[in-house]
Amino acid sequence: MSYRTYQKRTAALAFAAALAGSAVLMAAPAAVADVVDVNYQCKTPIGDKSAVSPIDIKSVKSGSGYKLTMSFQKGVSSSPVELGKGAMNPSAVIKLGGADSGTVAVSGPANSAAIPADTPIKINDLSGTYTPKKTGKVTFTAGVLTIKALGTTTTCTPGNNPKPSLTLDVTAAGGGGTSGSTQSGTDTGSGLPQTGPEDSAIALGTLGGTVLLAGAAGALWLTRRNQAVRR
């Protein structure tokens, strides 16, 4: 084998190893999301009500934490009287599971238009910030929903023990401990469902580039060593 052929083959092997390492990293998703039907049991000023709403929880990486957005695809309660613009204020909690525990408070804007009497109340998107305390897979599940309107409070509790709407693979801020967990939810095919795509892609690209540079450095060392031997 000629010296020039040896150089080309060594560089090709280093590049192939870098690509293989990046492919393995890309195969492991950082998030799994699912739209989950939540059967809310509501305590209202005029009696008990129930309604099922599909719940979607998404996240976007923000600094050392994540901005969570909880979306309701159907109304969960109604009012016997019309609710004027700005009369209804919703909030909720998202339950943490897996590697972390506790709840995240989320809230949203008041209704931007009047809601007719006896019409299902469509809840605007609710948002809040989650900062990881543990490292590992963390699940996010719809918790209690609270609706305040016209001086009254309606509390809606999930009655069907819903499964998580989102699972994130997180790293604790400040280097918190790790804890094992089981991944929940079904991949909807979106890969990273608005869950820090910029940060995740940059991190994977940076690591892949590091592997590539390491391979090239190894090839250069071998080449120089071979040159030294030839002298």
Side-chain angles (χ1 to χ4, degrees):
M1 180 187 299
S2 68
Y3 175 68
R4 187 174 299 277
T5 301
Y6 174 78
Q7 276 186 312
K8 291 180 178 179
R9 181 169 296 181
T10 303
L13 288 174
F15 183 70
L19 289 178
S22 297
V24 171
L25 290 171
M26 290 296 290
V32 176
D34 194 15
V35 177
V36 177
D37 287 338
V38 178
N39 185 0
Y40 281 104
Q41 304 297 314
C42 301
K43 299 290 185 181
T44 80
I46 59 172
D48 295 346
K49 303 283 185 180
S50 65
V52 175
S53 178
I55 300 296
D56 179 29
I57 299 176
K58 293 181 180 179
S59 68
V60 175
K61 190 75 169 66
S62 178
S64 60
Y66 295 83
K67 179 183 177 182
L68 302 179
T69 301
M70 184 178 185
S71 301
F72 296 76
Q73 298 187 10
K74 290 184 180 179
V76 298
S77 186
S78 61
S79 171
V81 298
E82 179 178 298
L83 296 178
K85 178 181 178 180
M88 186 269 294
N89 293 279
S91 62
V93 295
I94 296 174
K95 297 190 297 182
L96 305 177
D100 213 342
S101 60
T103 60
V104 177
V106 291
S107 59
N111 56 305
S112 59
I115 302 173
D118 301 317
T119 300
I121 298 174
K122 176 66 171 67
I123 307 297
N124 291 323
D125 287 354
L126 309 181
S127 61
T129 300
Y130 163 65
T131 301
K133 300 187 296 295
K134 298 288 185 179
T135 296
K137 283 182 168 50
V138 178
T139 61
F140 300 81
T141 306
V144 175
L145 167 69
T146 301
I147 302 171
K148 294 185 177 182
L150 304 179
T152 67
T153 299
T154 293
T155 302
C156 300
T157 303
N160 60 332
N161 191 28
K163 65 180 182 179
S165 295
L166 175 68
T167 298
L168 286 179
D169 196 349
V170 305
T171 300
T178 60
S179 177
S181 64
T182 301
Q183 182 168 303
S184 302
T186 302
D187 192 346
T188 59
S190 58
L192 304 181
Q194 297 183 10
T195 306
E198 299 89 351
D199 292 349
S200 299
I202 291 171
L204 289 171
T206 301
L207 187 52
T210 301
V211 174
L212 176 58
L213 289 175
L220 181 60
W221 181 82
L222 287 173
T223 300
R224 289 181 176 175
R225 182 169 181 239
N226 192 288
Q227 287 176 335
V229 171
R230 287 171 61 86
R231 292 195 189 94

